[in-house]
Amino acid sequence: MEVTAESNSWRDELASLVGDTGIRLNGDSIAVSAKLSPPPLAAAEEEEETAESLKDQIKGFATAWGELAVELGRGCRDVVRQTILTDDSYIVKKTKGPLAEVSEKLRFLNDFLPEDRDPVHVWPVIFFVFIVALAVLSVNSKHDGSISTVKRVSIHPPSGARILLPDGRYIAYHEIGVAADKARFSVIVPHGFLSSRFAGILGIKVSLLEEFGVRLIGYDLPGFGESDPHSNRSLNSSALDMSHLAYSVGINGKFWVLGYSSGSLHAWAALKYIPDQIAGAAMLAPLVNPYDSSMTREENSSTWRNWTRRRRLLFYLARKFPKFLNYFYSRTFLSGKHGQIDKWLSLKLGKKDKDLVETSAFEKIWQRDVEESVRQNNPKPFVEEAMLQVSNWGSNLVDLQVQRKCPKKGIFSWLHFMYTQPECELTGYLGPIHIWQGMDDTVVPPSMTDYVARVLPTANVHRLPGEGHFSYFSLCNECHRDIFSTIFGSPQGMLYTVDNNNTVAKDEAQETLFQTM
């Protein structure tokens, strides 16, 4: 009995150590259980090992594929380097020259980088950040809120009078002041960039025009406002358009031309190509070609130094890559929304200019002018205008300088001198030129006017201390009066009509009356 108890005790201890194996010990016989099942703890450990093995297998598979992809990429890179990018390959031969030319043109951009940065490393980073920024901006623009404080551009019904040009195009114009038969002076105003026929002189009062007897005519340049586009624009064609306009609106004799800011390009063209029709020129902060080779180094550097980097970039694009301007214009004034003038045109304004453009009176005139300018929603005329500003004009301002031209020396000139006195003639533009320039102007810097004064010593330059680009010429009745008094003299009022076919000045009629008494 003692053995049996001891044996049972030993069997119990063994069973507790190995768990339930399904074997039953009954006395001297051994019985096997019909149902074998692993203990719960062992099954859990087996499942855990199986799960970890599958995870490791997936991780190892992904790592192997990654290494394979890297090696494949390196192999493709080596193949490209050894076959396509060699100096003897067809692709390199065809693209090496154009790429070198583009790289040379863009080399000036390296000046904007810090001196301790390698352009080869910096520009790829800048390009990548630029692409990411564009993507973010495009995504944000698609999720604008329904409530917006930005005022949208309104397209107004057509309202301009139009004339038909000899080439079949129509030009729209707008006139204020005295009527044609009462005008003592006629002034034609070609507008500047992002402007229209409504610009004229910003904020000019009709009463002032009547006081001086002035008929002020503004017109839309080709492709702007209600004027038809021109397929081959140039400064020469611009002057001819102005000539046809003067004839069509009934201007008898000569007329004055007024050029403000970039609109002065077309005023310079009129002095060059139709000087016999121009009585005089009034230039307000006139723009000249910043790439003009006749500018001195100091004049050129002073001009570019006053502009923002974005504005300098736009000038460069207009000269070298004008097609890229479509993107900038479509994001600003062709976006269908109104914006600030300094942001849209990349301007750096002084305090006096900034205070003026933020007034409600200026904003009202400016927004209406912009709405008419972008009526056709076509970037092409704006790109053409930007190209004209920086392209070869076909002539320099030096050509307008008044010079005495005498016959050349030679045997024929000597024989002609034996019989008649040699006649010298004056060349250049002989009429008066008046220029007003704000000394705090950062849009058209004073250095440009200094250049004009140097090459055209007969021009009358009126420098305005403390004035900017807009402050003197916009919404200033006393300033407008000063300009008219300078170019027209004392106000004499309008002409009066004697009959349907003849008009005489009132003062001339009084003088005739006194002579007959």
Side-chain angles (χ1 to χ4, degrees):
M1 294 299 293
E2 293 178 358
V3 175
T4 304
E6 184 179 356
S7 300
N8 292 336
S9 175
W10 174 80
R11 293 190 188 109
D12 293 339
E13 290 178 0
L14 180 63
S16 65
L17 292 175
V18 301
D20 189 4
T21 61
I23 301 175
R24 299 290 183 267
L25 299 178
N26 297 321
D28 297 333
S29 63
I30 299 176
V32 180
S33 176
K35 183 179 179 181
L36 297 176
S37 60
L41 180 61
E45 292 178 354
E46 183 179 357
E47 291 179 359
E48 183 177 357
E49 292 178 358
T50 304
E52 291 178 355
S53 299
L54 180 61
K55 181 178 180 181
D56 292 339
Q57 289 178 4
I58 295 175
K59 183 177 179 181
F61 181 77
T63 303
W65 268 104
E67 294 176 354
L68 181 62
V70 171
E71 293 298 328
L72 179 63
R74 291 175 180 176
C76 294
R77 181 194 60 185
D78 295 337
V79 170
V80 170
R81 284 180 176 179
Q82 296 174 8
T83 59
I84 300 178
L85 299 182
T86 60
D87 294 337
D88 298 333
S89 66
Y90 176 80
I91 296 178
V92 172
K93 289 181 179 180
K94 290 295 183 180
T95 60
K96 185 175 182 180
L99 289 177
E101 184 178 353
V102 172
S103 177
E104 184 65 26
K105 290 181 179 180
L106 297 178
R107 189 178 299 275
F108 80 99
L109 294 175
N110 294 335
D111 297 338
F112 297 98
L113 299 178
E115 296 181 356
D116 57 344
R117 293 292 185 269
D118 186 3
V120 176
H121 298 154
V122 173
W123 285 117
V125 175
I126 294 177
F127 180 75
F128 175 76
V129 173
F130 178 73
I131 296 298
V132 173
L134 287 182
V136 172
L137 289 176
S138 63
V139 171
N140 290 339
S141 63
K142 295 180 180 178
H143 299 281
D144 290 339
S146 58
I147 301 177
S148 177
T149 59
V150 178
K151 184 177 179 181
R152 300 195 65 84
V153 172
S154 301
I155 302 301
H156 303 267
S159 60
R162 302 207 302 172
I163 64 168
L164 179 63
L165 298 178
D167 60 1
R169 291 182 296 113
Y170 281 93
I171 276 190
Y173 69 95
H174 174 73
E175 61 176 296
I176 58 175
V178 302
D181 58 345
K182 297 181 181 180
R184 188 179 296 274
F185 305 102
S186 296
V187 182
I188 293 182
V189 186
H191 64 78
F193 192 86
L194 194 55
S195 191
S196 71
R197 65 184 183 276
F198 291 136
I201 303 176
L202 290 181
I204 188 72
K205 292 186 177 180
V206 176
S207 59
L208 184 64
L209 296 174
E210 294 175 348
E211 184 178 348
F212 282 87
V214 176
R215 180 190 184 194
L216 193 67
I217 303 171
Y219 69 98
D220 290 329
L221 295 173
F224 291 79
E226 297 180 37
S227 290
D228 293 337
H230 193 299
S231 59
N232 190 21
R233 284 184 64 192
S234 65
L235 292 181
N236 189 6
S237 67
S238 180
L240 295 179
D241 287 351
M242 198 182 306
S243 176
H244 292 306
L245 173 66
Y247 174 79
S248 300
V249 298
I251 295 179
N252 298 320
K254 298 183 177 182
F255 60 89
W256 280 76
V257 61
L258 188 149
Y260 173 42
S261 190
S262 60
S264 57
L265 270 68
H266 309 282
W268 293 126
L271 301 185
K272 170 62 179 178
Y273 296 107
I274 54 171
D276 296 337
Q277 294 181 253
I278 307 301
M283 301 290 188
L284 312 178
L287 179 72
V288 298
N289 187 349
Y291 292 96
D292 196 324
S293 59
S294 58
M295 296 180 69
T296 64
R297 179 176 298 180
E298 178 61 26
E299 292 167 349
N300 188 275
S301 61
S302 299
T303 297
W304 289 93
R305 185 170 57 247
N306 282 276
W307 287 330
T308 62
R309 290 188 176 182
R310 181 183 174 90
R311 185 168 175 83
R312 281 181 278 176
L313 175 61
L314 292 178
F315 273 122
Y316 178 80
L317 292 178
R319 185 173 175 85
K320 297 294 184 181
F321 308 100
K323 291 184 178 180
F324 286 98
L325 295 177
N326 292 334
Y327 171 79
F328 290 96
Y329 296 163
S330 62
R331 302 285 295 183
T332 53
F333 51 82
L334 291 178
S335 62
K337 301 177 182 179
H338 281 295
Q340 298 178 350
I341 185 173
D342 54 339
K343 302 297 183 182
W344 278 6
L345 299 181
S346 304
L347 306 179
K348 181 178 63 175
L349 301 180
K351 184 179 184 305
K352 202 166 185 178
D353 276 343
K354 189 175 295 184
D355 293 341
L356 175 65
V357 301
E358 291 177 354
T359 61
S360 58
F362 183 92
E363 183 180 1
K364 181 179 179 180
I365 297 176
W366 154 255
Q367 290 184 353
R368 180 64 182 92
D369 194 27
V370 169
E371 290 174 342
E372 191 63 28
S373 180
V374 302
R375 167 185 290 274
Q376 302 185 31
N377 195 31
N378 184 7
K380 184 177 180 181
F382 296 96
V383 174
E384 293 172 345
E385 190 70 11
M387 292 173 60
L388 285 178
Q389 295 177 6
V390 297
S391 63
N392 185 3
W393 291 4
S395 62
N396 294 325
L397 294 184
V398 182
D399 299 335
L400 301 177
Q401 184 176 355
V402 178
Q403 297 178 349
R404 185 178 297 275
K405 184 178 180 181
C406 298
K408 297 181 180 179
K409 297 181 180 180
I411 183 64
F412 295 104
S413 300
W414 181 81
L415 292 175
H416 185 70
F417 173 76
M418 297 294 294
Y419 296 97
T420 60
Q421 292 292 331
E423 296 183 358
C424 298
E425 61 177 355
L426 294 177
T427 60
Y429 178 69
L430 305 179
I433 300 176
H434 289 272
I435 301 174
W436 283 265
Q437 176 65 54
M439 300 309 294
D440 291 343
D441 191 343
T442 55
V443 180
V444 178
S447 55
M448 283 194 168
T449 296
D450 295 338
Y451 161 69
V452 176
R454 180 174 61 83
V455 299
L456 298 178
T458 58
N460 300 288
V461 179
H462 310 274
R463 293 178 170 85
L464 309 170
E467 300 291 349
H469 189 72
F470 302 100
S471 60
Y472 184 80
F473 313 120
S474 306
L475 300 171
C476 180
N477 188 53
E478 292 302 320
C479 305
H480 300 158
R481 178 181 293 277
D482 179 64
I483 293 173
F484 281 0
S485 299
T486 302
I487 61 179
F488 299 138
S490 301
Q492 302 180 40
M494 298 178 289
L495 300 177
Y496 74 94
T497 304
V498 176
D499 53 41
N500 293 332
N501 298 321
N502 299 308
T503 59
V504 296
K506 184 177 180 180
D507 54 350
E508 293 177 353
Q510 291 179 348
E511 182 179 355
T512 304
L513 179 62
F514 286 129
Q515 290 178 354
T516 57
M517 293 180 61

